[in-house]
Amino acid sequence: MEIYSITSNKNKLREAEQILGVKLKNVNLDLDEIQELDSDKIAEYKVKQAWESIKNPLFVWDQSLYIHCLNDFPGPLIKWFWTKVTLEKICQIANFFNDYKIYTKTTLTYYDGKEIRHFYGIIHGSIPPEPRGSNGFAWDPIFIPKGYEKTFAEMTSKEKNAISMHKIALEKLRDFLKGAP
């Protein structure tokens, strides 16, 4: 079965191919992303837009980051939040409140023209006192997965891919596509 990954983020594509062990068809579409706190609604909007261009089975990504001391804000608005507020200031906010709890959710949304399915990968963790590491991308320097001492940005891609929220969601998508319950 041919399936398309819709992302402009080459890091996500690379991770997906490494985790799934396959070469994916990728299309970089300029999709509108509605401003919404419900990641399912965002992903459904994007997947239907992509379908109109491709007309083949596809999936889109949506990433959310929930910071406990900010009442789980910014959620799916993380891209705009970390670019404007900066990773350093996010750490300073956590330090100010002495509340370092954080979690992330990857939402992969699949659409074949008939059925929309969501697959989630959720990882809990903590925010370090300051950003650490230079590997990875986006907010990886401020996320320490629960049970680990390194941020995602301090891990090799192999270490991160072994535990990542993307891996969890991608494996659920893979199992669905193989017909597993």
Side-chain angles (χ1 to χ4, degrees):
M1 170 189 228
E2 193 169 76
I3 184 168
Y4 287 78
S5 170
I6 310 302
T7 183
S8 60
N9 187 323
K10 297 300 178 196
N11 293 309
K12 283 183 179 177
L13 179 63
R14 178 183 38 78
E15 268 189 325
E17 290 178 338
Q18 287 174 348
I19 290 165
L20 295 176
V22 297
K23 182 85 171 142
L24 292 168
K25 297 278 185 187
N26 185 64
V27 178
N28 179 1
L29 296 175
D30 188 20
L31 300 175
D32 296 328
E33 185 165 317
I34 60 172
Q35 297 304 295
E36 166 68 55
L37 292 176
D38 182 335
S39 61
D40 286 358
K41 289 180 183 176
I42 295 168
E44 287 171 15
Y45 188 84
K46 289 193 305 190
V47 82
K48 287 177 182 176
Q49 276 186 83
W51 177 263
E52 290 306 314
S53 294
I54 297 183
K55 303 277 192 210
N56 278 298
L58 61 98
F59 70 94
V60 298
W61 305 68
D62 198 73
Q63 191 66 45
S64 300
L65 191 70
Y66 302 90
I67 301 170
H68 188 263
C69 66
L70 296 177
N71 297 325
D72 289 342
F73 189 77
L77 305 175
I78 184 58
K79 177 182 175 183
W80 311 115
F81 188 77
W82 73 263
T83 56
K84 278 307 226 186
V85 174
T86 75
L87 299 178
E88 290 79 10
K89 285 187 181 164
I90 293 171
C91 291
Q92 290 170 4
I93 292 167
N95 289 330
F96 177 80
F97 287 107
N98 196 30
D99 184 348
Y100 302 93
K101 290 185 269 186
I102 190 170
Y103 76 95
T104 183
K105 178 173 85 171
T106 295
T107 302
L108 294 181
T109 301
Y110 169 84
Y111 188 48
D112 61 7
K114 298 176 195 151
E115 179 182 19
I116 292 176
R117 297 285 303 253
H118 301 288
F119 303 92
Y120 308 104
I122 298 173
I123 299 284
H124 290 266
S126 61
I127 300 170
E130 59 188 32
R132 298 190 331 229
S134 57
N135 297 328
F137 53 97
W139 43 264
D140 285 353
I142 65 160
F143 194 94
I144 303 169
K146 187 175 184 177
Y148 293 82
E149 296 190 15
K150 294 180 184 179
T151 66
F152 277 148
E154 293 174 304
M155 295 179 179
T156 65
S157 61
K158 186 176 179 180
E159 289 173 311
K160 180 184 173 189
N161 289 349
I163 62 167
S164 83
M165 58 283 169
H166 299 322
K167 176 184 185 231
I168 295 166
L170 285 162
E171 287 178 342
K172 289 175 183 176
L173 172 63
R174 180 197 62 208
D175 292 347
F176 168 76
L177 293 172
K178 286 183 176 181

